[in-house]
Amino acid sequence: MSADTLQRPASPAAPTPKKPQTRGWPLIILSLVIGLVTHGWNMFRYPLYLTDEGIYMEQAWSVLHMGKLSPYTYFYDHAPMGWLTIAGWVAILPGGFSAFGNAINTGRVLMLIVHLVSVFLLYETIRRYTGSKAGGFLAAFVFNVSPLGVYYQRQVLLDNLMMFWILLGLFLLARKDGRIVTVMAAGTCFGLALVTKENALFILPGCAYLLHRTVKEQSNRRFGLSFWWFAALAPVVGYLLYAQIKNELFPEGFNFNLAAATPGDHVSLLYTVWWQLHRNSNSSNGLSFTSLLQDSWLFKDRHLLIAGTAATLLALFAGRNNKRLRGPMLACALMAVGYGFYLTRSALLDFYIAPMVPLFALNLGMFFGWLTRRTKPAGAAVLVACLLVPVLVMPGGFLVKYNTRGQLEFSDAYRLPLTRLQEQQVAWIKTNVSPNAKLIIDDDIWVALHDNDPPYKYAYPHYKATSDPDVRDKVFASSWQNVDYVVMSNKMRDALERGGETWILEAIDQHGTPVWQATRGDVSLQIIKIGATS
């Protein structure tokens, strides 16, 4: 061996290749199983079928059986992507709307599938951005077991479909593969969210900021930004073109006077948007943020609302101090803040809170991922357990509560058979009422009666009987004498009084005789015979 060889400095050791990050399939599978149990167990019995569930199922029925976006006048109260999706789901089922017993059950199966896919998207988005499988599991777990989530995400709501598209768009951006087609697909997802339910607009600032932070280091960033916005706007432009082709984009005479009974001789998309923007908590069908927060949302799940709000606020500050996580943490916080702002200023229905469940879960997972990014997996698992176990097992937590006798029992979400009352109501009608009778109903049983053989073709929702001229004037003439039965859903009386539907109240109070009634707890259903039946 020569001296030169002896004196040659040793070459530096090659760097140890970084171990590729694993996806954590055991945690994903566990999350999906938990979601399947919490959202699938008893979902056909609880909660009570909701009016809005019936509306979306009847509009999907209209798409498949009538080739129309609504069985009545479509006045652009919501963009149609949500019930077009439901119609596509029903179209592939051998049993159609009755594939799982009735129409709303069939829609709830779709909601279960949407929830399980959303669990995966939520987990993966957090894992990809933070590198924390524990953070992803925490978010998925909260998303699965939150009583707010169990209650509202089982229901056939546009809000749940909207959030599916939002989460899919976030997941695609989290891939960061540098491909234009991926960014464009993410934009398409947000556009579909907008034409599923318009309040996705309040999540746009967070999504736009995340887009900017995701593509700014890419060489094709200008193309990425342009194609995302193009893809996001395309469904919206298509919706506007549909209205323009039908001459229903602008009101007649460009009249936006909200004091007028109607904006002209036809419905108008822009007039409806103008009306929606001017709704407030004094609207006949809306409640205030504070009343719903105190009387409904905090009662159902104060743990998520408090922890989610705290995580969102903390993420706004913590994200600024971490270069790698600044974009996703601030973006997720902005999404929750934007939608929260929408909740504080709009006329509300109680299920409008549904999108906050995945948004808060997203912020909890992101903040936890940031907090434990240097923690060993075992330590992170212990920390997750310490956070979750008390909330699960403590009285008043997610799973158990004290009953009126002071005994611990499962929360109502997992055991009450409420919808059986509605099934009994429909069964009584089919046995005792002629298909030619004129019925005023709520939308929750509309498809059950119209998808019957023979159909109850004169069964109309109460709000159509008082607001749609084709029904109010041509069918009932605003007279109790043209009504055979009024089928009362739970709290339908309150809706009649709030909406000023006086002639239906007159039919019930002055000319009605109850012929069927069922009650369980605070749920009460009735069928009232009006005068002499035809």
Side-chain angles (χ1 to χ4, degrees):
M1 185 178 295
S2 67
D4 291 340
T5 304
L6 290 173
Q7 296 174 2
R8 185 183 301 147
S11 60
T16 304
K18 188 177 180 180
K19 185 178 180 180
Q21 188 183 42
T22 59
R23 180 166 286 175
W25 280 110
L27 288 178
I28 293 176
I29 293 172
L30 178 59
S31 298
L32 294 175
V33 170
I34 293 172
L36 182 63
V37 172
T38 58
H39 285 248
W41 181 26
N42 202 41
M43 71 175 181
F44 294 157
R45 296 299 179 196
Y46 182 90
L48 201 70
Y49 295 141
L50 186 71
T51 297
D52 290 74
E53 290 186 277
I55 291 174
Y56 306 138
M57 294 310 299
E58 77 182 56
Q59 289 174 319
W61 186 93
S62 177
V63 169
L64 294 178
H65 291 273
M66 303 173 67
K68 298 166 53 180
L69 293 179
S70 173
Y72 307 105
T73 303
Y74 174 56
F75 66 101
Y76 299 93
D77 52 333
H78 288 302
M81 187 63 202
W83 61 88
L84 289 175
T85 302
I86 296 169
W89 159 248
V90 173
I92 66 174
L93 298 175
F97 286 90
S98 301
F100 294 92
N102 62 50
I104 295 182
N105 283 353
T106 301
R108 286 188 176 185
V109 173
L110 175 62
M111 294 300 105
L112 177 61
I113 296 171
V114 165
H115 174 77
L116 294 177
V117 177
S118 297
V119 167
F120 173 80
L121 297 174
L122 190 66
Y123 175 95
E124 272 294 284
T125 298
I126 293 169
R127 183 193 68 82
R128 286 177 179 273
Y129 277 124
T130 68
S132 172
K133 294 187 284 291
F137 178 74
L138 173 65
F141 192 89
V142 170
F143 186 44
N144 279 328
V145 303
S146 165
L148 274 174
V150 172
Y151 187 85
Y152 293 115
Q153 288 161 4
R154 289 180 174 188
Q155 297 177 349
V156 188
L157 298 175
L158 302 183
D159 309 71
N160 297 328
L161 293 170
M162 177 196 78
M163 283 309 303
F164 164 77
W165 292 116
I166 295 290
L167 291 173
L168 181 56
L170 297 181
F171 166 77
L172 290 171
L173 287 179
R175 295 183 63 182
K176 294 186 287 188
D177 58 8
R179 300 173 63 195
I180 293 295
V181 67
T182 302
V183 177
M184 191 172 181
T188 302
C189 288
F190 190 84
L192 293 175
L194 280 171
V195 294
T196 296
K197 196 164 186 182
E198 299 82 355
N199 51 14
L201 184 65
F202 291 88
I203 303 176
L204 177 60
C207 288
Y209 178 72
L210 182 63
L211 170 70
H212 167 71
R213 297 289 302 187
T214 300
V215 304
K216 75 170 192 173
E217 302 297 335
Q218 298 177 8
S219 59
N220 57 0
R221 59 186 178 276
R222 292 184 180 178
F223 288 101
L225 288 170
S226 300
F227 277 100
W228 189 95
W229 284 101
F230 171 81
L233 291 174
V236 178
V237 172
Y239 183 45
L240 296 173
L241 286 175
Y242 169 82
Q244 178 60 32
I245 290 171
K246 296 191 67 179
N247 193 31
E248 294 174 348
L249 181 61
F250 299 99
E252 184 183 14
F254 212 70
N255 177 19
F256 287 89
N257 181 14
L258 296 175
T262 59
D265 63 353
H266 62 78
V267 296
S268 163
L269 187 156
L270 294 181
Y271 179 88
T272 303
V273 171
W274 185 247
W275 168 73
Q276 294 273 20
L277 290 173
H278 286 79
R279 292 175 67 196
N280 54 49
S281 59
N282 296 320
S283 301
S284 62
N285 62 343
L287 298 173
S288 69
F289 170 79
T290 52
S291 64
L292 282 171
L293 183 66
Q294 295 171 3
D295 301 337
S296 178
W297 300 336
L298 284 173
F299 175 77
K300 287 185 173 72
D301 190 358
R302 66 179 63 248
H303 304 288
L304 174 67
L305 295 180
I306 294 173
T309 301
T312 299
L313 295 177
L314 289 171
L316 287 173
F317 294 97
R320 298 173 61 188
N321 300 321
N322 186 291
K323 184 177 181 181
R324 188 170 69 87
L325 293 180
R326 183 180 303 157
M329 288 191 72
L330 291 180
C332 293
L334 286 173
M335 292 177 206
V337 169
Y339 194 81
F341 170 75
Y342 162 74
L343 291 180
T344 60
R345 66 176 303 275
S346 173
L348 301 175
L349 298 175
D350 60 346
F351 60 82
Y352 284 12
I353 193 68
M356 289 304 296
V357 178
L359 289 174
F360 275 160
L362 188 66
N363 278 279
L364 281 166
M366 293 294 296
F367 182 73
F368 186 82
W370 170 83
L371 194 64
T372 62
R373 65 192 185 279
R374 293 186 178 90
T375 304
K376 293 182 179 179
V382 170
L383 185 53
V384 170
C386 291
L387 290 171
L388 295 180
V389 171
V391 176
L392 287 174
V393 301
M394 65 186 293
F398 284 168
L399 297 181
V400 293
K401 69 172 188 176
Y402 283 115
N403 61 21
T404 55
R405 293 171 292 181
Q407 299 171 328
L408 283 177
E409 62 182 19
F410 277 117
S411 296
D412 290 345
Y414 301 97
R415 63 184 185 87
L416 288 181
L418 295 183
T419 62
R420 189 171 289 135
L421 301 181
Q422 290 161 303
E423 293 176 354
Q424 293 169 358
Q425 187 181 53
V426 171
W428 193 93
I429 293 172
K430 292 182 178 180
T431 302
N432 298 279
V433 178
S434 166
N436 294 319
K438 292 182 178 179
L439 284 71
I440 292 178
I441 64 172
D442 207 345
D443 295 90
D444 59 312
I445 62 173
W446 193 95
V447 177
L449 297 179
H450 284 261
D451 204 44
N452 190 55
D453 186 18
Y456 285 79
K457 56 185 178 180
Y458 300 114
Y460 294 94
H462 63 88
Y463 68 96
K464 291 295 183 182
T466 57
S467 62
D468 190 330
D470 288 338
V471 180
R472 180 191 62 208
D473 302 332
K474 297 179 182 178
V475 178
F476 294 108
S478 298
S479 172
W480 67 268
Q481 295 175 320
N482 295 319
V483 182
D484 296 318
Y485 291 89
V486 176
V487 183
M488 298 289 286
S489 65
N490 190 48
K491 299 182 180 179
M492 178 171 151
R493 174 84 190 203
D494 295 341
L496 293 173
E497 292 175 351
R498 288 198 309 269
E501 300 173 24
T502 53
W503 73 266
I504 298 180
L505 291 170
E506 176 191 352
I508 295 169
D509 296 336
Q510 300 181 24
H511 308 283
T513 302
V515 293
W516 180 90
Q517 183 169 343
T519 301
R520 182 185 177 94
D522 62 350
V523 176
S524 180
L525 310 180
Q526 276 187 317
I527 299 175
I528 301 171
K529 184 178 180 181
I530 308 298
T533 59
S534 57

